[in-house]
Amino acid sequence: MTGVTVITHPLVQHNLTRLRDHRTRPQEFRRVLGEVAALMLYEATRAFSVRKVAVQTPLSPARGFRLSREVVLVPVLRAGLGMLEPILQLLPGARVGFIGLKREEATLRAQFYHQSLPKDLRRMEVILIDPMLATGGSAVAAMNLLANLGASRVRLVNLVAAPEGIRCVRRHHPRLPIFTAAIDRKLNGRGYIVPGLGDAGDRLFGV
Ligand code: PRP
Ligand code: URA
């Protein structure tokens, strides 16, 4: 699918499989989700623009690079929180924004309940993080909000995506790059990704 990068790295796939396993308890689920999020970040940031800089090593001048733009990480609450901390360890200078969305069980519509975002998104690289892309309603709602606030360089990082969700995001935001570890088969009648990994938020927080 255009604009979708499936990260096939063996460590990502190994960890995704542990997360899928219904026997994986919340403590391990949290740790492994963090590990896989950090691994996925390498791929998601590969095309970040850099500028040339000069540094002085202990031995001689050297040429190097720095990221051109500030980065803001935006986890979608709750489950996106499980991917935040390990990514922050790799990008300690990043800012963090939050978008709170809860999918209603009956309608599968994402209900907005919280936002806390930096003001100057226009000039930043934004990484929108959420383990699950199911119907796509939450991702589109989050992306609409970011776009309305001027964000133009956004990447969406999902651990598992359903074809239905990808199509929905593509319809509303055709140029948004999506990074995922898997495109699963389908959604079931209750809007869950099959095979998926169940309810990411519940498994993460042991609800
Ligand atoms: C889950 C998941 C996504 C959303 C995906 O969150 O973390 O945000 O569902 O579904 P969609 O693509 O059909 O919108 P949920 O709304 O269950 O909230 P939670 O993270 O608090 O569990
Ligand atoms: N949200 C989840 O946490 N899991 C799914 O399979 C679908 C939506």
Side-chain angles (χ1 to χ4, degrees):
M1 289 195 206
T2 47
V4 182
T5 304
V6 180
I7 303 172
T8 56
H9 192 289
L11 292 181
V12 170
Q13 295 302 319
H14 173 83
N15 283 326
L16 168 61
T17 307
R18 289 164 70 193
L19 294 170
R20 287 192 193 277
D21 191 331
H22 70 106
R23 295 168 301 184
T24 302
R25 313 304 307 165
Q27 190 179 358
E28 192 189 354
F29 192 92
R30 273 195 288 276
R31 188 173 56 75
V32 177
L33 179 60
E35 283 170 14
V36 81
L39 291 166
M40 291 178 76
L41 183 78
Y42 285 104
E43 194 57 45
T45 55
R46 189 182 288 277
F48 267 11
S49 89
V50 289
R51 61 186 164 83
K52 287 184 183 157
V53 291
V55 288
Q56 178 74 39
T57 78
L59 302 178
S60 102
R63 289 189 192 146
F65 302 94
R66 281 205 211 295
L67 294 181
S68 303
R69 299 189 184 86
E70 254 195 284
V71 180
V72 58
L73 307 174
V74 181
V76 176
L77 305 177
R78 289 172 303 170
L81 286 177
M83 299 170 80
L84 175 64
E85 190 54 41
I87 293 182
L88 257 182
Q89 286 186 17
L90 297 174
L91 286 170
R95 297 211 227 173
V96 181
F98 297 94
I99 298 178
L101 290 164
K102 179 73 197 157
R103 197 172 77 149
E104 269 185 8
E105 267 179 40
T107 63
L108 300 184
R109 290 234 178 93
Q111 297 296 326
F112 172 85
Y113 62 86
H114 179 74
Q115 105 180 48
S116 155
L117 293 160
K119 282 207 170 51
D120 34 6
L121 288 175
R122 197 174 299 275
R123 56 183 185 79
M124 296 182 181
E125 302 274 9
V126 180
I127 305 180
L128 182 60
I129 50 183
D130 190 335
M132 310 306 277
L133 176 62
T135 65
S138 304
V140 168
M143 190 52 214
N144 288 346
L145 178 60
L146 293 171
N148 285 339
L149 293 172
S152 58
R153 294 181 190 87
V154 186
R155 289 161 167 76
L156 175 62
V157 179
N158 304 118
L159 182 64
V160 182
E164 294 89 332
I166 293 174
R167 282 197 292 272
C168 176
V169 171
R170 277 281 147 274
R171 238 182 355 264
H172 292 86
H173 296 282
R175 300 206 336 224
L176 174 67
I178 302 173
F179 296 86
T180 185
I183 301 176
D184 275 8
R185 219 164 42 243
K186 60 168 189 172
L187 296 180
N188 70 11
R190 293 171 52 226
Y192 278 86
I193 303 175
V194 180
L197 49 75
D199 188 308
D202 287 0
R203 294 196 61 196
L204 191 57
F205 297 112
V207 174

